[in-house]
Amino acid sequence: MFAVAAAAFGPGAILGVFTLRHASESGRWLSLALSDAFVSQLLLTLQVSALSAAVSLAGAIPLALALERYAIRGRLALEVMILSPLLFAPYTAAGAWVNILQFRFVDGAVAMAVQVGLASLPIAYLILRIALARLPLAYEEAARVCGHSAASAFFRVRLKLLTGPIAAGALFSAARAFGDYGCAARNGLNTFGVSFKQIWAGSHSDAVGAALAAMSAIPGLVFAVLCLVLWRRFVPQQPPDLLRAQAALSRLAPPWGITLGAWALAGLVFVLGFLVPEAWYVSHALDIRAPALLKVFDVALETFVNCLAVCAVLSLFAAVSVLAIRPGEAGLRASGSFWLLSANLFFPPMAFALAWVVASGDGSVGARLLGSWRDGPLLVIAAQCVKFAPFILLPVMDTLLREPPSARDTLQLYAPGVASRVWHTLRFHMPAIALGAALVFVESMKELELASTLQPFDFEAVSLKIHTLARFQAEQRIAPWALISQVMALPAIGVLLWRLRRDAAPPDRAFRGLQPAT
């Protein structure tokens, strides 16, 4: 847990100490920076964050409820449509919409909130879909027996138990909008992320940037603590009678209204979040020369290797966490501390990168420890690992809550050797680790701000190419870079679809392999 605490509070602590050491320098600039204009930009950012969270939940909650409760035909096609916005970074989709609409209706807070909300909707859907599969319907049925109506039982029991997963879905969307720079710049919106870069670059002072970055950590910590409190109310444990749970979780034949509504909503998400931007980029990708394609493949390979490195490090960290934390009440308290890592999501990515710049600056302890490694992609990979850790630890928290408390004691009695016990434990948690690793891979490939701030000499990434071409208004040349990033993300999307169907299984199938032999 020391590693979790260091990752959660380390960047903020570094920035805070650096700000105090240069208080006189940062104070003069902050008195000018924290003007009425800056306050209005901060309020605008909070508004965009709230709207984007609302967009994500407005689509994810009804779709997750419909697909978990009812046996709707074409479930796989629906899930593909829901997850399709993951193939676009918000700033890439925003560029397509800006060119399609010629800057009409795309330069306001609502437009940016819709784009960020659609990009975050698949993550909220995954969280809610898996959480719904963990909740037995016996609680809701007991409320109906006690005289509650169907609507009352749903809102007072089921939805109340889902406050933690709903808060988690809102967190990822709101945090993405709060620290976003690329999408806001493409939409011409002066949010906190854009203002941070302007103030930092205009002052030519890391102390000023550190002070603003430390201030941005406050809403993140507040939201992370709120999510931790709400998550403890989530009760995903299996009921004692697995056969009764299987019968309770059997899906019903859907009314025609539910089927039509699910297809309509999934179609809207698919069209706005994927189909329209995809059609625009495909139409401009037809005029590509062979030398340009060779350059695209070289940069794509480097991006692919770096993203795999981030996935490997976080998968190893998740596996060690699973082995170190025992299931049960103690595990619940320990796994809850992972929520503290989500506070880093609220850092504007450039502010988060500034913590690594300060820690590895010339003459610092970090520079002496890293040595020549500082001139490679190590800083970019390390920063992405810390930032994207919540994406892989959230599924692991779910499996820790579901693991029977007596499972490891049983393994000690019947499994021969330490290696066998480790293998059986990791085998139970491996689907969740694979799910999180797929999310990390997709998000790491789309990450822009950390790569642009921490990039060493001769470092290249697909996201940097897209951003550079957008700065020079070369929108047509972005098409091959956007499409190659989607091709690389397709295997990860396949893992999400496969593990989604397995992780959303009824409890008797999820716990197969941990039941004692008869």
Side-chain angles (χ1 to χ4, degrees):
M1 303 317 297
F2 176 78
V4 175
F9 299 108
I14 292 172
L15 293 173
V17 171
F18 188 79
T19 301
L20 293 176
R21 289 175 57 187
H22 301 80
S24 59
E25 178 183 351
S26 61
R28 295 193 303 270
W29 278 95
L30 287 179
S31 62
L32 298 175
L34 300 180
S35 58
D36 293 339
F38 181 81
V39 173
S40 64
Q41 291 164 1
L42 182 58
L43 293 177
L44 175 64
T45 305
L46 294 175
Q47 177 188 354
V48 172
S49 300
L51 288 174
S52 63
V55 170
S56 295
L57 295 179
I61 292 176
L63 286 171
L65 288 171
L67 288 175
E68 179 56 34
R69 190 72 182 96
Y70 298 101
I72 299 176
R73 299 185 63 178
R75 298 172 60 85
L76 181 60
L78 281 171
E79 289 175 343
V80 170
M81 294 165 68
I82 295 168
L83 296 183
S84 61
L86 282 176
L87 292 171
F88 271 111
Y91 55 85
T92 309
W97 280 109
V98 165
N99 285 275
I100 292 170
L101 299 178
Q102 295 299 313
F103 292 94
R104 294 189 298 269
F105 313 113
V106 294
D107 56 350
V110 175
M112 179 181 169
V114 171
Q115 291 162 359
V116 176
L118 287 174
S120 306
L121 187 147
I123 299 175
Y125 170 79
L126 286 168
I127 294 172
L128 291 169
R129 180 85 159 73
I130 295 172
L132 281 167
R134 307 292 182 252
L135 285 179
L137 293 178
Y139 300 124
E140 196 172 343
E141 293 171 353
R144 295 290 303 276
V145 171
C146 293
H148 289 276
S149 64
S152 176
F154 172 78
F155 285 104
R156 299 185 65 176
V157 178
R158 176 160 285 254
L159 204 60
K160 187 176 180 180
L161 291 173
L162 285 174
T163 51
I166 290 174
L171 178 141
F172 286 106
S173 181
R176 188 195 295 268
F178 186 83
D180 177 84
Y181 168 77
C183 185
R186 300 298 293 273
N187 284 277
L189 205 62
N190 236 355
T191 59
F192 180 76
V194 176
S195 299
F196 173 82
K197 181 184 180 182
Q198 293 173 346
I199 296 173
W200 183 20
S203 64
H204 299 285
S205 171
D206 289 345
V208 175
L212 289 174
M215 291 169 52
S216 69
I218 297 175
L221 286 174
V222 172
F223 205 99
V225 172
L226 176 62
C227 288
L228 174 59
V229 173
L230 293 176
W231 186 267
R232 291 183 181 276
R233 301 171 60 181
F234 179 50
V235 188
Q237 288 86 353
Q238 59 171 345
D241 188 355
L242 295 178
L243 296 177
R244 180 168 56 85
Q246 182 182 11
L249 287 172
S250 60
R251 296 184 175 94
L252 305 176
W256 68 269
I258 296 293
T259 302
L260 182 62
W263 276 98
L265 186 54
L268 182 65
V269 171
F270 177 70
V271 170
L272 296 180
F274 176 77
L275 186 60
V276 174
E278 182 74 5
W280 192 87
Y281 282 117
V282 168
S283 67
H284 288 84
L286 300 178
D287 185 21
I288 305 176
R289 294 173 297 177
L293 277 179
L294 294 177
K295 178 63 175 178
V296 169
F297 291 143
D298 289 341
V299 178
L301 180 60
E302 182 177 350
T303 304
F304 185 79
V305 171
N306 291 334
C307 293
L308 280 183
V310 175
C311 288
V313 172
L314 286 180
S315 298
L316 179 62
F317 177 66
V320 172
S321 301
V322 162
L323 297 174
I325 300 175
R326 292 188 61 85
E329 186 63 27
L332 175 62
R333 292 193 298 268
S335 62
S337 63
F338 289 151
W339 275 112
L340 297 175
L341 282 171
S342 62
N344 289 327
L345 295 174
F346 277 85
F347 271 111
M350 290 186 178
F352 188 73
L354 177 58
W356 296 84
V357 172
V358 171
S360 61
D362 293 336
S364 64
V365 177
R368 292 194 295 270
L369 292 176
L370 292 174
S372 60
W373 289 92
R374 191 177 57 153
D375 301 325
L378 180 62
L379 281 180
V380 178
I381 293 173
Q384 290 188 6
C385 286
V386 177
K387 180 182 177 181
F388 296 131
F391 287 92
I392 197 171
L393 293 179
L394 188 63
V396 169
M397 286 167 52
D398 173 71
T399 54
L400 282 171
L401 292 173
R402 291 190 298 111
E403 184 179 354
S406 60
R408 301 195 189 184
D409 295 331
T410 305
L411 285 175
Q412 284 190 339
L413 292 175
Y414 296 103
V418 177
S420 178
R421 293 195 293 270
V422 169
W423 164 248
H424 281 85
T425 302
L426 290 179
R427 183 184 176 187
F428 176 73
H429 293 276
M430 197 59 68
I433 296 176
L435 176 70
L439 277 175
V440 167
F441 181 86
V442 173
E443 294 300 319
S444 175
M445 189 173 52
K446 297 185 294 187
E447 211 291 319
L448 168 65
E449 292 86 354
L450 288 179
S452 64
T453 308
L454 296 174
Q455 59 175 321
F457 178 74
D458 205 24
F459 177 83
E460 293 183 309
V462 172
S463 59
L464 292 177
K465 291 295 183 181
I466 294 175
H467 179 62
T468 302
L469 292 172
R471 289 173 55 195
F472 293 101
Q473 305 297 321
E475 300 291 346
Q476 288 77 10
R477 296 176 59 189
I478 293 177
W481 301 101
L483 296 181
I484 196 65
S485 66
Q486 293 176 352
V487 172
M488 290 191 296
L490 284 177
I493 301 296
V495 172
L496 291 178
L497 288 169
W498 177 47
R499 288 307 183 187
L500 178 65
R501 302 182 72 82
R502 190 269 178 199
D503 270 15
D508 63 321
R509 292 205 300 270
F511 278 92
R512 183 177 297 170
L514 282 180
Q515 305 303 322
T518 57

